[in-house]
mmCIF file of all heavy atoms in Angstrom:
data_model
loop_
_atom_site.group_PDB
_atom_site.id
_atom_site.type_symbol
_atom_site.label_atom_id
_atom_site.label_comp_id
_atom_site.label_asym_id
_atom_site.label_seq_id
_atom_site.Cartn_x
_atom_site.Cartn_y
_atom_site.Cartn_z
ATOM 1 N N VAL A 380 -40.700 -240.391 -50.067
ATOM 2 C CA VAL A 380 -39.672 -241.427 -50.055
ATOM 3 C C VAL A 380 -39.238 -241.660 -48.618
ATOM 4 O O VAL A 380 -38.714 -240.750 -47.962
ATOM 5 C CB VAL A 380 -38.464 -241.034 -50.924
ATOM 6 C CG1 VAL A 380 -37.402 -242.125 -50.848
ATOM 7 C CG2 VAL A 380 -38.897 -240.799 -52.361
ATOM 8 N N GLU A 381 -39.444 -242.898 -48.146
ATOM 9 C CA GLU A 381 -39.037 -243.265 -46.793
ATOM 10 C C GLU A 381 -37.638 -243.862 -46.807
ATOM 11 O O GLU A 381 -37.211 -244.456 -47.798
ATOM 12 C CB GLU A 381 -39.986 -244.287 -46.170
ATOM 13 C CG GLU A 381 -41.429 -243.860 -46.031
ATOM 14 C CD GLU A 381 -42.314 -244.533 -47.037
ATOM 15 O OE1 GLU A 381 -41.786 -244.898 -48.110
ATOM 16 O OE2 GLU A 381 -43.521 -244.704 -46.773
ATOM 17 N N SER A 382 -36.972 -243.744 -45.677
ATOM 18 C CA SER A 382 -35.679 -244.387 -45.506
ATOM 19 C C SER A 382 -35.447 -244.612 -44.018
ATOM 20 O O SER A 382 -36.156 -244.048 -43.180
ATOM 21 C CB SER A 382 -34.556 -243.542 -46.103
ATOM 22 O OG SER A 382 -34.489 -242.288 -45.459
ATOM 23 N N GLY A 383 -34.442 -245.435 -43.703
ATOM 24 C CA GLY A 383 -34.052 -245.621 -42.313
ATOM 25 C C GLY A 383 -34.472 -246.933 -41.686
ATOM 26 O O GLY A 383 -34.117 -247.209 -40.535
ATOM 27 N N GLY A 384 -35.208 -247.747 -42.413
ATOM 28 C CA GLY A 384 -35.602 -249.033 -41.860
ATOM 29 C C GLY A 384 -34.417 -249.989 -41.764
ATOM 30 O O GLY A 384 -33.324 -249.711 -42.256
ATOM 31 N N GLY A 385 -34.658 -251.122 -41.107
ATOM 32 C CA GLY A 385 -33.600 -252.106 -40.975
ATOM 33 C C GLY A 385 -33.901 -253.118 -39.890
ATOM 34 O O GLY A 385 -35.026 -253.203 -39.395
ATOM 35 N N LEU A 386 -32.863 -253.849 -39.521
ATOM 36 C CA LEU A 386 -32.954 -254.869 -38.478
ATOM 37 C C LEU A 386 -32.364 -254.320 -37.191
ATOM 38 O O LEU A 386 -31.245 -253.774 -37.203
ATOM 39 C CB LEU A 386 -32.197 -256.123 -38.916
ATOM 40 C CG LEU A 386 -32.034 -257.237 -37.874
ATOM 41 C CD1 LEU A 386 -33.386 -257.816 -37.490
ATOM 42 C CD2 LEU A 386 -31.106 -258.321 -38.412
ATOM 43 N N VAL A 387 -33.090 -254.453 -36.105
ATOM 44 C CA VAL A 387 -32.620 -253.967 -34.812
ATOM 45 C C VAL A 387 -33.027 -254.962 -33.734
ATOM 46 O O VAL A 387 -34.048 -255.649 -33.859
ATOM 47 C CB VAL A 387 -33.202 -252.563 -34.518
ATOM 48 C CG1 VAL A 387 -34.716 -252.601 -34.411
ATOM 49 C CG2 VAL A 387 -32.563 -251.937 -33.292
ATOM 50 N N GLN A 388 -32.235 -255.035 -32.693
ATOM 51 C CA GLN A 388 -32.545 -255.941 -31.586
ATOM 52 C C GLN A 388 -33.627 -255.336 -30.688
ATOM 53 O O GLN A 388 -33.780 -254.104 -30.626
ATOM 54 C CB GLN A 388 -31.294 -256.214 -30.768
ATOM 55 C CG GLN A 388 -30.243 -257.031 -31.495
ATOM 56 C CD GLN A 388 -29.081 -257.404 -30.592
ATOM 57 O OE1 GLN A 388 -28.874 -256.829 -29.540
ATOM 58 N NE2 GLN A 388 -28.315 -258.403 -31.019
ATOM 59 N N PRO A 389 -34.367 -256.170 -29.999
ATOM 60 C CA PRO A 389 -35.354 -255.645 -29.039
ATOM 61 C C PRO A 389 -34.689 -254.689 -28.052
ATOM 62 O O PRO A 389 -33.588 -254.942 -27.562
ATOM 63 C CB PRO A 389 -35.851 -256.909 -28.334
ATOM 64 C CG PRO A 389 -35.676 -257.992 -29.353
ATOM 65 C CD PRO A 389 -34.415 -257.640 -30.091
ATOM 66 N N GLY A 390 -35.377 -253.586 -27.802
ATOM 67 C CA GLY A 390 -34.831 -252.542 -26.948
ATOM 68 C C GLY A 390 -34.024 -251.505 -27.683
ATOM 69 O O GLY A 390 -33.669 -250.466 -27.109
ATOM 70 N N GLY A 391 -33.750 -251.749 -28.950
ATOM 71 C CA GLY A 391 -32.961 -250.822 -29.744
ATOM 72 C C GLY A 391 -33.777 -249.686 -30.321
ATOM 73 O O GLY A 391 -34.982 -249.544 -30.045
ATOM 74 N N SER A 392 -33.100 -248.874 -31.144
ATOM 75 C CA SER A 392 -33.721 -247.683 -31.731
ATOM 76 C C SER A 392 -33.482 -247.621 -33.231
ATOM 77 O O SER A 392 -32.485 -248.147 -33.736
ATOM 78 C CB SER A 392 -33.147 -246.418 -31.089
ATOM 79 O OG SER A 392 -33.397 -246.376 -29.702
ATOM 80 N N LEU A 393 -34.413 -246.977 -33.904
ATOM 81 C CA LEU A 393 -34.277 -246.656 -35.321
ATOM 82 C C LEU A 393 -34.913 -245.298 -35.551
ATOM 83 O O LEU A 393 -35.866 -244.924 -34.853
ATOM 84 C CB LEU A 393 -34.984 -247.691 -36.200
ATOM 85 C CG LEU A 393 -34.278 -248.997 -36.549
ATOM 86 C CD1 LEU A 393 -35.207 -249.868 -37.368
ATOM 87 C CD2 LEU A 393 -32.984 -248.739 -37.288
ATOM 88 N N LYS A 394 -34.417 -244.597 -36.558
ATOM 89 C CA LYS A 394 -35.036 -243.328 -36.952
ATOM 90 C C LYS A 394 -35.378 -243.396 -38.421
ATOM 91 O O LYS A 394 -34.502 -243.547 -39.267
ATOM 92 C CB LYS A 394 -34.093 -242.157 -36.689
ATOM 93 C CG LYS A 394 -34.743 -240.801 -36.930
ATOM 94 C CD LYS A 394 -33.824 -239.670 -36.499
ATOM 95 C CE LYS A 394 -34.489 -238.306 -36.637
ATOM 96 N NZ LYS A 394 -33.618 -237.209 -36.143
ATOM 97 N N LEU A 395 -36.668 -243.304 -38.706
ATOM 98 C CA LEU A 395 -37.142 -243.289 -40.075
ATOM 99 C C LEU A 395 -37.273 -241.859 -40.567
ATOM 100 O O LEU A 395 -37.594 -240.954 -39.793
ATOM 101 C CB LEU A 395 -38.503 -243.990 -40.181
ATOM 102 C CG LEU A 395 -38.608 -245.404 -39.622
ATOM 103 C CD1 LEU A 395 -40.005 -245.959 -39.888
ATOM 104 C CD2 LEU A 395 -37.546 -246.299 -40.196
ATOM 105 N N SER A 396 -37.041 -241.682 -41.861
ATOM 106 C CA SER A 396 -37.210 -240.381 -42.501
ATOM 107 C C SER A 396 -38.172 -240.524 -43.668
ATOM 108 O O SER A 396 -38.232 -241.578 -44.309
ATOM 109 C CB SER A 396 -35.884 -239.839 -43.002
ATOM 110 O OG SER A 396 -34.949 -239.688 -41.949
ATOM 111 N N CYS A 397 -38.887 -239.477 -43.937
ATOM 112 C CA CYS A 397 -39.785 -239.430 -45.093
ATOM 113 C C CYS A 397 -39.645 -238.045 -45.714
ATOM 114 O O CYS A 397 -40.024 -237.046 -45.094
ATOM 115 C CB CYS A 397 -41.210 -239.694 -44.662
ATOM 116 S SG CYS A 397 -42.441 -239.478 -45.980
ATOM 117 N N THR A 398 -39.117 -238.011 -46.918
ATOM 118 C CA THR A 398 -38.891 -236.745 -47.614
ATOM 119 C C THR A 398 -39.934 -236.562 -48.699
ATOM 120 O O THR A 398 -40.181 -237.477 -49.493
ATOM 121 C CB THR A 398 -37.483 -236.697 -48.205
ATOM 122 O OG1 THR A 398 -36.533 -236.835 -47.140
ATOM 123 C CG2 THR A 398 -37.243 -235.369 -48.904
ATOM 124 N N ALA A 399 -40.537 -235.392 -48.708
ATOM 125 C CA ALA A 399 -41.610 -235.090 -49.645
ATOM 126 C C ALA A 399 -41.145 -234.131 -50.729
ATOM 127 O O ALA A 399 -40.278 -233.287 -50.509
ATOM 128 C CB ALA A 399 -42.791 -234.482 -48.903
ATOM 129 N N SER A 400 -41.764 -234.238 -51.887
ATOM 130 C CA SER A 400 -41.501 -233.306 -52.971
ATOM 131 C C SER A 400 -42.789 -233.085 -53.736
ATOM 132 O O SER A 400 -43.714 -233.896 -53.678
ATOM 133 C CB SER A 400 -40.418 -233.839 -53.916
ATOM 134 O OG SER A 400 -40.818 -235.067 -54.493
ATOM 135 N N GLY A 401 -42.870 -231.967 -54.432
ATOM 136 C CA GLY A 401 -43.992 -231.725 -55.308
ATOM 137 C C GLY A 401 -45.040 -230.778 -54.778
ATOM 138 O O GLY A 401 -45.965 -230.436 -55.492
ATOM 139 N N ARG A 402 -44.940 -230.352 -53.535
ATOM 140 C CA ARG A 402 -45.932 -229.448 -52.964
ATOM 141 C C ARG A 402 -45.317 -228.739 -51.779
ATOM 142 O O ARG A 402 -44.313 -229.176 -51.229
ATOM 143 C CB ARG A 402 -47.173 -230.232 -52.500
ATOM 144 C CG ARG A 402 -48.373 -229.364 -52.172
ATOM 145 C CD ARG A 402 -49.545 -230.162 -51.666
ATOM 146 N NE ARG A 402 -50.742 -229.360 -51.522
ATOM 147 C CZ ARG A 402 -51.016 -228.610 -50.475
ATOM 148 N NH1 ARG A 402 -50.170 -228.561 -49.465
ATOM 149 N NH2 ARG A 402 -52.146 -227.921 -50.427
ATOM 150 N N THR A 403 -45.943 -227.620 -51.366
ATOM 151 C CA THR A 403 -45.475 -226.905 -50.183
ATOM 152 C C THR A 403 -45.632 -227.801 -48.969
ATOM 153 O O THR A 403 -46.736 -228.059 -48.500
ATOM 154 C CB THR A 403 -46.261 -225.605 -49.973
ATOM 155 O OG1 THR A 403 -46.120 -224.788 -51.138
ATOM 156 C CG2 THR A 403 -45.721 -224.854 -48.771
ATOM 157 N N PHE A 404 -44.521 -228.276 -48.436
ATOM 158 C CA PHE A 404 -44.545 -229.256 -47.363
ATOM 159 C C PHE A 404 -45.166 -228.689 -46.099
ATOM 160 O O PHE A 404 -45.826 -229.408 -45.341
ATOM 161 C CB PHE A 404 -43.119 -229.736 -47.096
ATOM 162 C CG PHE A 404 -43.016 -230.795 -46.040
ATOM 163 C CD1 PHE A 404 -43.482 -232.075 -46.280
ATOM 164 C CD2 PHE A 404 -42.454 -230.514 -44.798
ATOM 165 C CE1 PHE A 404 -43.393 -233.065 -45.317
ATOM 166 C CE2 PHE A 404 -42.357 -231.495 -43.820
ATOM 167 C CZ PHE A 404 -42.829 -232.781 -44.085
ATOM 168 N N SER A 405 -44.974 -227.410 -45.851
ATOM 169 C CA SER A 405 -45.480 -226.820 -44.616
ATOM 170 C C SER A 405 -47.001 -226.844 -44.540
ATOM 171 O O SER A 405 -47.574 -226.753 -43.452
ATOM 172 C CB SER A 405 -44.975 -225.388 -44.459
ATOM 173 O OG SER A 405 -45.390 -224.600 -45.553
ATOM 174 N N ASN A 406 -47.673 -226.976 -45.678
ATOM 175 C CA ASN A 406 -49.136 -227.068 -45.712
ATOM 176 C C ASN A 406 -49.591 -228.505 -45.906
ATOM 177 O O ASN A 406 -50.510 -228.799 -46.670
ATOM 178 C CB ASN A 406 -49.699 -226.196 -46.835
ATOM 179 C CG ASN A 406 -49.538 -224.722 -46.556
ATOM 180 O OD1 ASN A 406 -49.272 -224.320 -45.430
ATOM 181 N ND2 ASN A 406 -49.670 -223.906 -47.575
ATOM 182 N N THR A 407 -48.924 -229.408 -45.232
ATOM 183 C CA THR A 407 -49.223 -230.831 -45.361
ATOM 184 C C THR A 407 -49.230 -231.481 -43.991
ATOM 185 O O THR A 407 -48.266 -231.332 -43.240
ATOM 186 C CB THR A 407 -48.183 -231.525 -46.260
ATOM 187 O OG1 THR A 407 -48.108 -230.860 -47.511
ATOM 188 C CG2 THR A 407 -48.563 -232.981 -46.497
ATOM 189 N N ALA A 408 -50.314 -232.187 -43.663
ATOM 190 C CA ALA A 408 -50.337 -233.016 -42.466
ATOM 191 C C ALA A 408 -49.731 -234.365 -42.822
ATOM 192 O O ALA A 408 -49.939 -234.883 -43.924
ATOM 193 C CB ALA A 408 -51.764 -233.190 -41.968
ATOM 194 N N MET A 409 -48.997 -234.922 -41.878
ATOM 195 C CA MET A 409 -48.273 -236.163 -42.149
ATOM 196 C C MET A 409 -48.635 -237.237 -41.130
ATOM 197 O O MET A 409 -49.036 -236.944 -39.994
ATOM 198 C CB MET A 409 -46.767 -235.909 -42.087
ATOM 199 C CG MET A 409 -46.249 -234.854 -43.043
ATOM 200 S SD MET A 409 -46.445 -235.321 -44.778
ATOM 201 C CE MET A 409 -45.342 -236.741 -44.865
ATOM 202 N N GLY A 410 -48.465 -238.470 -41.558
ATOM 203 C CA GLY A 410 -48.707 -239.580 -40.650
ATOM 204 C C GLY A 410 -47.806 -240.746 -40.971
ATOM 205 O O GLY A 410 -47.265 -240.837 -42.082
ATOM 206 N N TRP A 411 -47.627 -241.604 -39.990
ATOM 207 C CA TRP A 411 -46.931 -242.877 -40.183
ATOM 208 C C TRP A 411 -47.911 -244.007 -39.878
ATOM 209 O O TRP A 411 -48.656 -243.949 -38.893
ATOM 210 C CB TRP A 411 -45.724 -242.993 -39.260
ATOM 211 C CG TRP A 411 -44.543 -242.154 -39.653
ATOM 212 C CD1 TRP A 411 -44.221 -240.903 -39.198
ATOM 213 C CD2 TRP A 411 -43.509 -242.505 -40.582
ATOM 214 N NE1 TRP A 411 -43.068 -240.470 -39.778
ATOM 215 C CE2 TRP A 411 -42.594 -241.441 -40.636
ATOM 216 C CE3 TRP A 411 -43.246 -243.639 -41.373
ATOM 217 C CZ2 TRP A 411 -41.459 -241.448 -41.448
ATOM 218 C CZ3 TRP A 411 -42.124 -243.643 -42.177
ATOM 219 C CH2 TRP A 411 -41.243 -242.568 -42.204
ATOM 220 N N PHE A 412 -47.859 -245.017 -40.740
ATOM 221 C CA PHE A 412 -48.656 -246.226 -40.566
ATOM 222 C C PHE A 412 -47.723 -247.427 -40.691
ATOM 223 O O PHE A 412 -46.595 -247.299 -41.169
ATOM 224 C CB PHE A 412 -49.753 -246.290 -41.638
ATOM 225 C CG PHE A 412 -50.825 -245.248 -41.479
ATOM 226 C CD1 PHE A 412 -50.590 -243.928 -41.836
ATOM 227 C CD2 PHE A 412 -52.064 -245.581 -40.965
ATOM 228 C CE1 PHE A 412 -51.570 -242.952 -41.692
ATOM 229 C CE2 PHE A 412 -53.058 -244.621 -40.814
ATOM 230 C CZ PHE A 412 -52.796 -243.310 -41.169
ATOM 231 N N ARG A 413 -48.210 -248.576 -40.285
ATOM 232 C CA ARG A 413 -47.415 -249.788 -40.447
ATOM 233 C C ARG A 413 -48.325 -250.959 -40.786
ATOM 234 O O ARG A 413 -49.512 -250.962 -40.437
ATOM 235 C CB ARG A 413 -46.592 -250.082 -39.198
ATOM 236 C CG ARG A 413 -47.400 -250.361 -37.939
ATOM 237 C CD ARG A 413 -46.462 -250.446 -36.731
ATOM 238 N NE ARG A 413 -47.177 -250.685 -35.478
ATOM 239 C CZ ARG A 413 -46.608 -250.666 -34.281
ATOM 240 N NH1 ARG A 413 -45.298 -250.401 -34.157
ATOM 241 N NH2 ARG A 413 -47.327 -250.902 -33.198
ATOM 242 N N GLN A 414 -47.729 -251.936 -41.462
ATOM 243 C CA GLN A 414 -48.508 -253.071 -41.914
ATOM 244 C C GLN A 414 -47.691 -254.347 -41.850
ATOM 245 O O GLN A 414 -46.538 -254.382 -42.301
ATOM 246 C CB GLN A 414 -49.008 -252.854 -43.341
ATOM 247 C CG GLN A 414 -49.994 -253.895 -43.825
ATOM 248 C CD GLN A 414 -50.624 -253.514 -45.148
ATOM 249 O OE1 GLN A 414 -50.044 -252.783 -45.948
ATOM 250 N NE2 GLN A 414 -51.838 -254.008 -45.393
ATOM 251 N N VAL A 415 -48.315 -255.368 -41.299
ATOM 252 C CA VAL A 415 -47.755 -256.705 -41.260
ATOM 253 C C VAL A 415 -48.447 -257.524 -42.338
ATOM 254 O O VAL A 415 -49.666 -257.370 -42.539
ATOM 255 C CB VAL A 415 -47.969 -257.336 -39.863
ATOM 256 C CG1 VAL A 415 -47.501 -258.784 -39.860
ATOM 257 C CG2 VAL A 415 -47.257 -256.529 -38.800
ATOM 258 N N PRO A 416 -47.729 -258.393 -43.051
ATOM 259 C CA PRO A 416 -48.368 -259.197 -44.106
ATOM 260 C C PRO A 416 -49.607 -259.922 -43.608
ATOM 261 O O PRO A 416 -49.606 -260.526 -42.535
ATOM 262 C CB PRO A 416 -47.267 -260.181 -44.497
ATOM 263 C CG PRO A 416 -46.004 -259.450 -44.207
ATOM 264 C CD PRO A 416 -46.289 -258.649 -42.970
ATOM 265 N N GLY A 417 -50.677 -259.802 -44.377
ATOM 266 C CA GLY A 417 -51.914 -260.468 -44.038
ATOM 267 C C GLY A 417 -52.806 -259.704 -43.093
ATOM 268 O O GLY A 417 -53.910 -260.165 -42.762
ATOM 269 N N LYS A 418 -52.354 -258.518 -42.657
ATOM 270 C CA LYS A 418 -53.157 -257.709 -41.736
ATOM 271 C C LYS A 418 -53.388 -256.328 -42.318
ATOM 272 O O LYS A 418 -52.732 -255.903 -43.266
ATOM 273 C CB LYS A 418 -52.473 -257.609 -40.375
ATOM 274 C CG LYS A 418 -52.365 -258.938 -39.645
ATOM 275 C CD LYS A 418 -51.870 -258.747 -38.233
ATOM 276 C CE LYS A 418 -51.860 -260.067 -37.472
ATOM 277 N NZ LYS A 418 -51.404 -259.902 -36.068
ATOM 278 N N GLU A 419 -54.338 -255.618 -41.714
ATOM 279 C CA GLU A 419 -54.638 -254.270 -42.169
ATOM 280 C C GLU A 419 -53.514 -253.308 -41.770
ATOM 281 O O GLU A 419 -52.756 -253.567 -40.845
ATOM 282 C CB GLU A 419 -55.959 -253.794 -41.566
ATOM 283 C CG GLU A 419 -57.172 -254.584 -42.022
ATOM 284 C CD GLU A 419 -58.464 -254.019 -41.474
ATOM 285 O OE1 GLU A 419 -58.419 -253.132 -40.610
ATOM 286 O OE2 GLU A 419 -59.528 -254.478 -41.911
ATOM 287 N N ARG A 420 -53.476 -252.189 -42.493
ATOM 288 C CA ARG A 420 -52.499 -251.166 -42.163
ATOM 289 C C ARG A 420 -52.960 -250.416 -40.920
ATOM 290 O O ARG A 420 -54.104 -249.967 -40.838
ATOM 291 C CB ARG A 420 -52.357 -250.221 -43.349
ATOM 292 C CG ARG A 420 -51.218 -249.240 -43.257
ATOM 293 C CD ARG A 420 -50.701 -248.817 -44.622
ATOM 294 N NE ARG A 420 -51.728 -248.445 -45.541
ATOM 295 C CZ ARG A 420 -51.499 -248.144 -46.829
ATOM 296 N NH1 ARG A 420 -50.266 -248.194 -47.298
ATOM 297 N NH2 ARG A 420 -52.493 -247.815 -47.616
ATOM 298 N N ASP A 421 -52.061 -250.270 -39.964
ATOM 299 C CA ASP A 421 -52.385 -249.654 -38.683
ATOM 300 C C ASP A 421 -51.779 -248.271 -38.550
ATOM 301 O O ASP A 421 -50.652 -248.025 -38.981
ATOM 302 C CB ASP A 421 -51.867 -250.517 -37.519
ATOM 303 C CG ASP A 421 -52.621 -251.812 -37.383
ATOM 304 O OD1 ASP A 421 -53.814 -251.870 -37.764
ATOM 305 O OD2 ASP A 421 -52.013 -252.789 -36.882
ATOM 306 N N PHE A 422 -52.502 -247.381 -37.883
ATOM 307 C CA PHE A 422 -52.011 -246.046 -37.575
ATOM 308 C C PHE A 422 -50.904 -246.126 -36.533
ATOM 309 O O PHE A 422 -51.000 -246.876 -35.571
ATOM 310 C CB PHE A 422 -53.165 -245.196 -37.054
ATOM 311 C CG PHE A 422 -52.750 -243.882 -36.459
ATOM 312 C CD1 PHE A 422 -52.405 -242.823 -37.286
ATOM 313 C CD2 PHE A 422 -52.694 -243.712 -35.089
ATOM 314 C CE1 PHE A 422 -52.022 -241.604 -36.739
ATOM 315 C CE2 PHE A 422 -52.306 -242.503 -34.537
ATOM 316 C CZ PHE A 422 -51.969 -241.447 -35.366
ATOM 317 N N VAL A 423 -49.851 -245.322 -36.736
ATOM 318 C CA VAL A 423 -48.753 -245.275 -35.771
ATOM 319 C C VAL A 423 -48.703 -243.928 -35.057
ATOM 320 O O VAL A 423 -48.675 -243.878 -33.823
ATOM 321 C CB VAL A 423 -47.405 -245.551 -36.463
ATOM 322 C CG1 VAL A 423 -46.254 -245.434 -35.452
ATOM 323 C CG2 VAL A 423 -47.405 -246.937 -37.107
ATOM 324 N N VAL A 424 -48.661 -242.854 -35.824
ATOM 325 C CA VAL A 424 -48.519 -241.524 -35.232
ATOM 326 C C VAL A 424 -48.834 -240.486 -36.291
ATOM 327 O O VAL A 424 -48.712 -240.761 -37.483
ATOM 328 C CB VAL A 424 -47.079 -241.327 -34.681
ATOM 329 C CG1 VAL A 424 -46.062 -241.371 -35.787
ATOM 330 C CG2 VAL A 424 -46.945 -240.078 -33.857
ATOM 331 N N ALA A 425 -49.246 -239.290 -35.858
ATOM 332 C CA ALA A 425 -49.576 -238.233 -36.799
ATOM 333 C C ALA A 425 -49.043 -236.890 -36.321
ATOM 334 O O ALA A 425 -48.876 -236.668 -35.108
ATOM 335 C CB ALA A 425 -51.086 -238.143 -36.990
ATOM 336 N N ILE A 426 -48.799 -235.992 -37.291
ATOM 337 C CA ILE A 426 -48.370 -234.631 -36.968
ATOM 338 C C ILE A 426 -49.105 -233.676 -37.898
ATOM 339 O O ILE A 426 -49.225 -233.936 -39.101
ATOM 340 C CB ILE A 426 -46.841 -234.481 -37.084
ATOM 341 C CG1 ILE A 426 -46.391 -233.109 -36.572
ATOM 342 C CG2 ILE A 426 -46.343 -234.739 -38.497
ATOM 343 C CD1 ILE A 426 -44.874 -233.023 -36.348
ATOM 344 N N SER A 427 -49.606 -232.586 -37.337
ATOM 345 C CA SER A 427 -50.319 -231.601 -38.149
ATOM 346 C C SER A 427 -49.324 -230.683 -38.851
ATOM 347 O O SER A 427 -48.122 -230.727 -38.589
ATOM 348 C CB SER A 427 -51.235 -230.777 -37.256
ATOM 349 O OG SER A 427 -50.472 -229.876 -36.465
#
C-alpha cells in the first residue's frame, strides 16, 4: 500500500511510503517505478 502522493510545486519535495504485509519484509527486495498515461512503466530506484 503506497501513500504520500500529491500536488507539489517545481523544486518542492514529497515523501512516498509503501507498507508491506503478508511476508517477512526483511527478505524482500523493493523498487519504485513510475508511469505516465500512454507510456511504459519506468524504473525509478531500487533497494536490496
Side-chain angles (χ1 to χ4, degrees):
V380 178
E381 300 106 333
S382 61
L386 173 64
V387 63
Q388 292 186 343
S392 299
L393 277 177
K394 187 173 184 177
L395 307 183
S396 301
C397 173
T398 300
S400 60
R402 193 182 188 277
T403 302
F404 182 71
S405 59
N406 291 345
T407 305
M409 302 295 295
W411 286 95
F412 291 76
R413 63 188 179 187
Q414 188 171 27
V415 175
K418 295 188 176 181
E419 295 184 351
R420 190 152 48 186
D421 291 332
F422 169 77
V423 177
V424 64
I426 187 166
S427 73

